[in-house]
Each structure stands twice: as structure tokens, then as C-alpha cells.
Amino acid sequence: MSIQISDRAVALKPSASIAAKKMVSELQAAGHRIIDFTIGEPDIATPSYIINGALSAMRAGDTHYTASAGTSTLRAAIADSLVREKKDTL
């Protein structure tokens, strides 16, 4: 049994991100050290403190989407962090 594919489907080219992923994979296979962000996710392990933070948040009920600006708690934490970082440069 063979599957017939239309000429238009056969003519399709891979997306730019898929082509970039292929190139990265080939370079890695050749021994180059590359952190791969081509398809939207890193090729490194997630640090344990991030995993633990995500688990804690989910157990606390933070399992739904938020507004694109984030929660007020998150925005306050980011602002506090920026103030601490910038205080040393003033």
C-alpha cells in the first residue's frame, strides 16, 4: 500500500525554525557546544530550584493563566529585584 501525496505538499519546504534545528543538531553532532533555542525550548536540564518553585506554586493553586502583565505579586518581586540591583549602581 502506498500513500499518494499532492505535488503541492511535496513542494513544501521546512520552516526556518526546523531548518535551524537541523543545522544545530548537525553542528552538535560534529562536536560543537551549542545551547539550542531554535524550537522554543532549551536543550539543558531545568534547574531543581525552578522545578521546586513550580511544584510549590501548583500545590498552592497557581494553575491558571494570568493576565499578560503577570500577577501583582510577580510584578512587585521584579520591581524589588530591579531596585536592589540598581541601588548598587547609583
Side-chain angles (χ1 to χ4, degrees):
M1 175 195 271
S2 65
I3 298 175
Q4 191 172 19
I5 300 176
S6 72
D7 292 339
R8 287 176 62 188
V10 170
L12 290 173
K13 302 276 189 262
S15 69
S17 59
I18 296 298
K21 173 66 176 164
K22 181 180 180 216
M23 181 185 296
V24 167
S25 296
E26 290 169 354
L27 289 169
Q28 287 173 327
H32 296 274
R33 289 187 53 186
I34 299 173
I35 295 177
D36 181 7
F37 289 100
T38 58
I39 57 172
E41 58 184 57
D43 61 349
I44 55 178
T46 303
S48 60
Y49 70 91
I50 293 175
I51 293 170
N52 293 334
L55 288 171
S56 294
M58 288 184 282
R59 288 185 179 121
D62 293 330
T63 58
H64 301 282
Y65 289 113
T66 64
S68 59
T71 64
S72 59
T73 304
L74 174 62
R75 291 195 315 271
I78 292 170
D80 291 344
S81 174
L82 289 172
V83 167
R84 282 192 309 276
E85 290 174 14
K86 296 302 177 189
K87 189 181 286 187
D88 294 335
T89 63
L90 296 177

